[in-house]
Amino acid sequence: MPTLAVETRRFALRETFTISRGSRTHVTVVEVRLTDGGVTGRGECVPYPRYDETPEGVTATIEAMRDALDGGLDRDALQEAMPAGAARNALDLAFWDLEARKAGTRVWELPAYAALGGRQPAPVPSCYTLSIDTPDRMRDAAARQSTRPLLKVKLGAGPEDMTRIAAVRDGAPDARLVIDANEGWSIADYEAHVPMLQTLGVELIEQPVHEKDDAALVGIAHPVPLCADESCHTRASLDRLSGRYEIVNIKLDKTGGLTEALALRKEAEDRGFGVMVGCMMSSSLGVAPAVLVAGGAKIADLDPPMLLGEDREPPLAVEGSSVSPPEPALWG
């Protein structure tokens, strides 16, 4: 039976990162290690306050699984033993990493991966995210990143939002743009902003309104496709999303691991949803398994390796805005 170790770690960002809920200069992650027969698998999760998660709470939840692990809990049983969320994600990822290392192969070569519809990974073109700031500073930030093909712009911070996105377009006139309001708008804000977003060539609006209010998105125009983030966690979320969103954002800290993320992607596509694959602000260890889910997705938002001031060793390889699958020394 694998033995469990849990550790909290912090990684500095290159610059302060701001969304509608606040700012941060560091990311705090919880790392899980499962060791069996001298072989160790690792997983990382990011406790997220929006979902009532804290590093201390997630650590305690993982620690509470020691008896179950001693009793033979495996990755399949884990899916029913714990709810979706950050704690299950770290354990699920550690199980995948351990299984691959014990088999002397890569995660994407395991039969279980293929059975869930997993695809052969390849480098993934990612968004580069611009956090909320004054319009002038966002214009300058966009200009510095204007050669990147796809910029994701954080909004949802009040009446200057349309001035902000216009400034970004001015700073990066040739970049593709997607925006993320992080539930910061009302329905009235959304309807007022959409015409200008169309004019500026915005291709996608991520989670414009709070999850509890998104039923109001049914029956109103979506001239720019809408993507569910906070409104979509697992396959169980999909029933309520039709008519509200055209795209779902799959994040492993929401799905509770790679196992459910792969299953969610397959079912979402079968139901006609487009797929975006994102991640919380984490180290390369947390982003690595998301690269496996992101191949062929409409949008990938896997840019933490570009935004961190310090990272794992080795980090994910990034060329321009393209994120490569992990090396064995990192994960999988």
Side-chain angles (χ1 to χ4, degrees):
M1 306 305 171
T3 59
L4 171 68
V6 189
E7 178 184 7
T8 300
R9 297 191 59 180
R10 279 165 52 93
F11 296 88
L13 294 165
R14 289 181 182 171
E15 299 176 349
T16 300
F17 188 81
T18 302
I19 67 172
S20 61
R21 297 190 186 99
S23 300
R24 66 176 79 178
T25 58
H26 292 73
V27 295
T28 300
V29 306
V30 177
E31 178 182 336
V32 164
R33 296 185 295 278
L34 294 176
T35 301
D36 187 16
V39 179
T40 298
R42 298 189 301 165
E44 177 185 294
C45 70
V46 181
Y48 198 44
R50 167 63 177 84
Y51 307 129
D52 298 320
E53 295 172 337
T54 64
E56 297 80 12
V58 165
T59 297
T61 299
I62 295 168
E63 292 280 6
M65 300 304 294
R66 284 187 183 276
D67 287 346
L69 289 165
D70 290 343
L73 181 79
D74 61 12
R75 183 178 53 78
D76 288 335
L78 177 70
Q79 310 310 310
E80 297 298 327
M82 297 181 74
R88 192 178 80 186
N89 180 36
L91 278 167
D92 180 85
L93 297 179
F95 269 120
W96 278 105
D97 193 31
L98 178 63
E99 184 177 349
R101 292 182 188 281
K102 290 178 70 175
T105 188
R106 303 309 307 274
V107 160
W108 53 86
E109 295 169 337
L110 294 170
Y113 179 81
L116 288 165
R119 306 168 193 197
Q120 190 74 12
V124 176
S126 172
C127 301
Y128 184 93
T129 303
L130 303 180
S131 68
I132 295 172
D133 209 325
T134 66
D136 286 345
R137 288 177 179 171
M138 291 184 75
R139 179 187 294 107
D140 292 344
R144 291 194 297 272
Q145 306 300 333
S146 61
T147 59
R148 296 186 185 273
L150 179 60
L151 298 178
K152 176 175 170 177
V153 184
K154 291 288 189 177
L155 296 176
E160 283 194 303
D161 271 353
M162 292 303 98
T163 306
R164 291 184 176 100
I165 190 64
V168 168
R169 174 52 81 203
D170 185 49
D174 298 323
R176 297 168 56 208
L177 298 181
V178 300
I179 66 167
D180 183 5
N182 281 114
E183 301 181 296
W185 292 344
S186 66
I187 291 292
D189 290 332
Y190 163 75
E191 292 185 296
H193 294 335
V194 161
M196 183 170 180
L197 297 175
Q198 276 187 283
T199 299
L200 293 173
V202 171
E203 297 182 14
L204 177 147
I205 302 170
E206 190 178 347
Q207 200 69 42
V209 301
H210 197 280
E211 176 269 338
K212 66 180 176 61
D213 298 325
D214 66 3
L217 295 171
V218 178
I220 63 175
H222 299 183
V224 180
L226 300 184
C227 178
D229 182 4
E230 287 85 351
S231 293
C232 182
H233 290 247
T234 67
R235 286 170 288 174
S237 304
L238 294 176
D239 284 343
R240 65 182 296 276
L241 299 183
S242 293
R244 304 182 188 194
Y245 301 94
E246 289 72 49
I247 300 163
V248 296
N249 188 351
I250 299 173
K251 294 178 179 176
L252 276 67
D253 278 307
K254 296 186 301 175
T255 65
L258 179 63
T259 304
E260 175 63 21
L262 292 171
L264 172 58
R265 173 163 184 173
K266 184 178 187 306
E267 184 163 335
E269 290 179 332
D270 288 347
R271 292 191 185 205
F273 289 99
V275 168
M276 175 177 182
V277 177
C279 59
M280 304 302 186
M281 188 64 76
S282 62
S283 83
S284 280
L285 180 61
V287 180
V291 178
L292 277 60
V293 187
K298 182 177 180 67
I299 298 286
D301 180 19
L302 305 177
D303 59 359
M306 310 175 207
L307 302 174
L308 291 170
E310 54 185 349
D311 200 352
R312 303 280 182 171
E313 185 58 44
L316 286 168
V318 179
E319 183 174 350
S321 293
S322 182
V323 183
S324 292
E327 294 297 324
L330 177 62
W331 185 86

